[in-house]
Amino acid sequence: MLSEHYTITPDEMTEILARLKPHLPPHLKKIGPGPYGGRLTFEFEPFTGREAEPVRPSTRHDARLSYVSEDDDPAESLLREKALRVLDRCFERAQELWRDAVYVADLRNVAQDAPALWKTYSHERTTLDAAYEYLRTPEAAAEWPSAVSRLIDAQGRAAAAAAAFDERAEAIADAHYRHLYADLGHIEALKRAGFADAADWHVTDASCYGRSHYSDWETHTPVAEQTRRLIQQQDTHLAKVRRLSRTH
């Protein structure tokens, strides 16, 4: 079996595990060889993300793991070096899994009703699009003031729904930023947190939220800004229609 560039025989691994037992992280289930005898694999019980971070303990005062000079005992020195490398890799893997678990737990805590908020926003956006498209039909001419009034109502509901979702999306984006170095991607982390439809949500960078102004060239803006731009385009178009057709 291999740990980094070291070859570890089965007998050596038995001895190494016996020496490391007092120092191994509590969630560890198994240490074994990787595929085809490659790098060691470390199997753990699932982390909740609410445990203390697994931190590698010092082995300086362990009589079976403390430093031994290669000149004094080459075999024992190498065995201890192998053991410490296994311990290092074990805690590195434990910390990777723990960081992912903390990320998922934080997302579960902050996302909360995001699915319902996104569903409401999607519905109101669809309603807004339909109300605007209706104004382009011949039927709308017969009830123009009522049709425009319905559009204005739809604009208000869509803007409110977008703002409500963005409030939750900002918390999600903050969690993404705090866990920037976790191994999990954003969508995978949200799925593990229990949000299967997260890929449909529009969550932008944390720095994009809470701002009062966005440049025209910024395209990956929060949904509230996207909705504001859409409403502005609709209003500009309707104003031009009114001006050119002389309708009131």
Side-chain angles (χ1 to χ4, degrees), residues 1-3 6-21 24 30-33 38-42 79 82-83 85-87:
M1 294 186 288
L2 299 178
S3 173
Y6 294 110
T7 299
I8 302 177
T9 68
D11 288 343
E12 286 178 324
M13 180 54 70
T14 299
E15 176 62 22
I16 286 172
L17 292 178
R19 297 188 186 194
L20 292 181
K21 187 175 181 180
L24 294 173
K30 180 182 177 182
I31 299 178
R39 294 181 62 180
L40 293 174
T41 59
F42 301 88
L79 181 65
K82 291 178 181 181
R85 186 59 60 88
V86 170
L87 188 64

Side-chain angles (χ1 to χ4, degrees), residues 33-241:
Y36 311 108
R39 294 181 62 180
L40 293 174
T41 59
F42 301 88
E43 184 179 346
F44 291 83
E45 296 284 354
F47 287 92
T48 67
R50 293 299 178 246
E51 309 91 346
E53 179 179 2
V55 177
R56 183 196 184 285
S58 172
T59 57
R60 182 180 303 175
H61 302 296
D62 188 318
R64 298 191 299 171
L65 292 170
S66 57
Y67 176 74
V68 170
S69 169
E70 184 177 359
D71 292 337
D72 293 337
D73 191 334
E76 181 64 18
S77 176
L78 181 58
L79 181 65
R80 296 189 183 200
E81 189 172 350
K82 291 178 181 181
L84 295 180
R85 186 59 60 88
V86 170
L87 188 64
D88 288 341
R89 288 292 301 120
C90 182
F91 272 90
E92 287 169 9
R93 183 57 180 155
Q95 289 172 341
E96 290 169 359
L97 295 173
W98 177 81
R99 282 194 298 268
D100 287 348
V102 174
Y103 185 14
V104 170
D106 284 354
L107 284 173
R108 189 179 295 116
N109 183 54
V110 302
Q112 300 176 5
D113 56 350
L117 293 173
W118 180 257
K119 183 178 180 180
T120 299
Y121 165 73
S122 299
H123 171 75
E124 297 300 346
R125 173 59 189 271
T126 299
T127 301
L128 173 59
D129 291 341
Y132 182 68
E133 288 302 317
Y134 177 72
L135 295 180
R136 299 174 179 272
T137 67
E139 292 79 10
E143 55 159 350
W144 186 258
S146 296
V148 172
S149 179
R150 289 196 297 272
L151 174 68
I152 293 172
D153 290 342
Q155 288 176 338
R157 291 193 302 270
F165 176 76
D166 274 351
E167 183 176 351
R168 192 68 66 236
E170 182 176 5
I172 294 171
D174 286 342
H176 289 329
Y177 181 77
R178 289 196 308 273
H179 298 283
L180 186 63
Y181 298 105
D183 291 337
L184 289 177
H186 293 178
I187 300 304
E188 179 60 26
L190 281 164
K191 287 182 177 179
R192 292 194 187 184
F195 303 102
D197 298 327
D200 298 332
W201 304 349
H202 180 80
V203 178
T204 188
D205 295 332
S207 62
C208 291
Y209 292 95
R211 291 162 49 185
S212 59
H213 176 73
Y214 298 88
S215 300
D216 292 340
W217 54 264
E218 292 183 271
T219 57
H220 199 56
T221 57
V223 291
E225 173 62 12
Q226 294 181 357
T227 304
R228 186 199 67 79
R229 292 180 181 184
L230 176 63
I231 292 172
Q232 185 179 55
Q233 292 169 3
Q234 292 174 346
D235 290 350
T236 299
H237 180 76
L238 288 177
K240 187 173 184 179
V241 169

